Amino acid sequence: MEIRDLTEADLDAVLDGRKRAFGPLSDSSAVLWRRLVLPFLAAGRYLGAFDGTRLVGTARINPYTQWWHGRPVSMGGVASVTVAPEDRGRGAGRQIMLAALERCAELGHVVSALYPAATHPYRRLGWEHAGAQPIAAIPAEALRAIAATEPVKLRRMGPDDAPELMSVLSRVYAGTRASGPISADEGTWRLWLDDDDDFCYLADDGFVIYRWSGEDIEVDNLVAGSEATARALWSLVGSHATVANRVKAAVTPDDPVFWLLTDRKQDTVEQHRWMFRLIDVASAVAARGYPAAVTMDAVVQVQDSRRPGNSGGWRLEVASGSGTATRSDSAEGPGLAIGGFSALYAGIPTSTLRRAGLMTGPAEEDEALDAAFAAKPYMIDYF
């Protein structure tokens, strides 16, 4: 089986494999999909596994920025992982994911994330569960009751507003010390903002993207940097309550909307789980943000059979909101496989990791590690 970069000539076969893996696409969605993936081909971001000339499987690497405690980290978002039904069980998925892991490194991504169809295949290669995309179901009438505290100027948003939207995201995610949410490149945002079925509004410190779904409203993104903007955007969505029954919205774990509602008896929140992996330990630790009040100096032992350069002793130092990972000859400190260390990086508590068998050895530094890597990781976007 050969792994190689896909070309435009392969796209019909890729689309056929995608339909067999995930179900049919509408004609309009297929056109949008082609527009989305074309730039990835020349960049080496779409891999195919071939048996002779026949396409067996695929994996795409999306170029994302992921925010960790308010700092941007280069992240390879692995998506469109497919294997032809007649070729499953032959190891094609494993081979193409190993190739995607190495390609992430070649492209300069220091971490990677994906939404799994199954946990086991990705866990074996070092990805581990870290966070979720929470989807809340809220009565539209409840959102309409959110009152504005001051006027907020909102305007319709289109493809040419992509740079400003990206700037808003950067300011809000840095200011809120967000962990987990992503931002795409300008070309991808332009495509998303060009969808005629979406309604997009922009404020100075926030934006919303939503659409109709039958008698419901689906909110893809609602990001706000202030109370006034949060109220303005949620009440805009709620203004459809005369027609819409319910709003399904991607939210943060502690989204302010739950505190803006005047009546909150019960929450209905689904979670789409995602998995996470460090590609380069030293670079990932240096890129992340940390609580400014925390100082830490600890040694951990990491094992990574797929990327041996990550294996060994690492001295982790955190101070003034920044961190470093440097090589250590010490054999002290807790031991973690790369999946466990990736989960720790994402804020999963050491007590959880130990009880799940993902962390072993001395526990003296557990509380310091928890304080340094504290996070409630989430994503708003699904990919």
Side-chain angles (χ1 to χ4, degrees):
M1 196 170 295
E2 176 192 10
I3 307 292
R4 67 168 173 81
D5 291 346
L6 294 170
T7 69
E8 189 171 353
D10 298 313
L11 288 186
D12 286 342
V14 175
L15 187 57
D16 177 74
R18 190 188 187 286
K19 291 177 181 178
R20 293 174 190 272
F22 305 123
L25 285 175
S26 66
D27 290 344
S28 60
S29 294
V31 170
L32 181 62
W33 174 83
R34 286 179 182 271
R35 291 178 61 195
L36 173 68
V37 304
L38 273 174
F40 293 173
L41 300 177
R45 292 186 171 275
Y46 220 145
L47 300 176
F50 289 83
D51 184 354
T53 60
R54 186 173 62 87
L55 181 65
V56 172
T58 64
R60 189 175 78 237
I61 302 166
N62 297 316
Y64 290 138
T65 295
Q66 188 174 34
W67 296 81
W68 286 102
H69 201 81
R71 289 194 184 175
V73 180
S74 179
M75 188 270 273
V78 181
S80 293
V81 179
T82 68
V83 175
E86 65 271 29
D87 292 294
R88 291 170 185 167
R90 296 178 54 199
R94 179 182 179 83
Q95 289 188 46
I96 202 162
M97 282 304 299
L98 285 170
L101 176 60
E102 289 309 308
R103 184 58 57 87
C104 280
E106 294 166 10
L107 291 167
H109 299 305
V110 299
V111 300
S112 174
L114 54 82
Y115 284 92
T119 293
H120 181 63
Y122 301 111
R123 177 173 281 158
R124 287 192 308 169
L125 300 179
W127 279 268
E128 188 50 79
H129 283 285
Q133 180 202 37
I135 305 291
I138 305 171
E141 191 64 39
L143 293 176
R144 186 166 68 163
I146 294 175
T149 54
E150 58 185 89
V152 173
K153 182 179 179 181
L154 302 178
R155 64 177 178 84
R156 295 181 182 183
M157 179 169 53
D160 290 342
D161 294 302
E164 185 171 350
L165 178 152
M166 295 169 69
S167 176
V168 167
L169 274 180
S170 295
R171 296 197 306 273
V172 172
Y173 288 157
T176 57
R177 301 180 297 281
S179 288
I182 62 174
S183 181
D185 60 12
E186 182 177 335
T188 301
W189 273 116
R190 283 181 174 273
L191 280 175
W192 289 345
L193 293 173
D194 199 28
D195 191 331
D196 290 338
D197 292 333
D198 288 349
F199 303 99
C200 313
Y201 291 88
L202 181 66
D204 288 341
D205 67 339
F207 68 92
V208 63
I209 300 174
Y210 68 93
R211 69 177 65 87
W212 285 95
S213 177
E215 294 184 348
D216 292 339
I217 297 288
E218 292 184 352
V219 177
D220 274 350
N221 281 258
L222 194 153
V223 174
S226 65
E227 177 194 355
T229 297
R231 287 181 176 275
L233 294 175
W234 282 115
S235 62
L236 170 69
V237 175
S239 69
H240 295 290
T242 54
V243 179
N245 295 320
R246 184 178 62 164
V247 173
K248 294 186 70 176
V251 295
T252 69
D254 297 316
D255 202 282
V257 68
F258 296 121
W259 282 264
L260 295 175
L261 296 172
T262 57
D263 189 14
R264 181 190 178 191
K265 297 186 181 73
Q266 181 177 342
D267 297 334
T268 302
V269 181
E270 299 177 358
Q271 293 193 344
H272 298 156
R273 305 300 305 183
W274 48 269
M275 300 180 77
F276 180 71
R277 193 196 204 283
L278 301 190
I279 305 296
D280 182 302
V281 166
S283 297
V285 169
R288 192 191 195 279
Y290 302 86
V294 172
T295 300
M296 182 195 69
D297 188 339
V299 173
V300 297
Q301 306 296 324
V302 177
Q303 301 86 40
D304 188 350
S305 61
R306 306 303 167 191
R307 290 187 56 76
N310 288 328
S311 295
W314 291 96
R315 182 183 181 187
L316 307 176
E317 296 177 273
V318 169
S320 303
S322 296
T324 59
T326 54
R327 285 294 184 183
S328 173
D329 293 330
S330 172
E332 298 180 352
L336 306 100
I338 190 63
F341 188 59
S342 299
L344 175 65
Y345 180 103
I348 306 303
T350 55
S351 60
T352 299
L353 298 177
R354 288 186 180 279
R355 287 178 291 169
L358 298 175
M359 184 175 186
T360 60
E364 288 83 0
E365 301 296 340
D366 281 13
E367 193 167 359
L369 289 167
D370 284 339
F373 290 105
K376 285 188 176 182
Y378 70 94
M379 285 192 205
I380 293 177
D381 299 282
Y382 187 90
F383 57 86

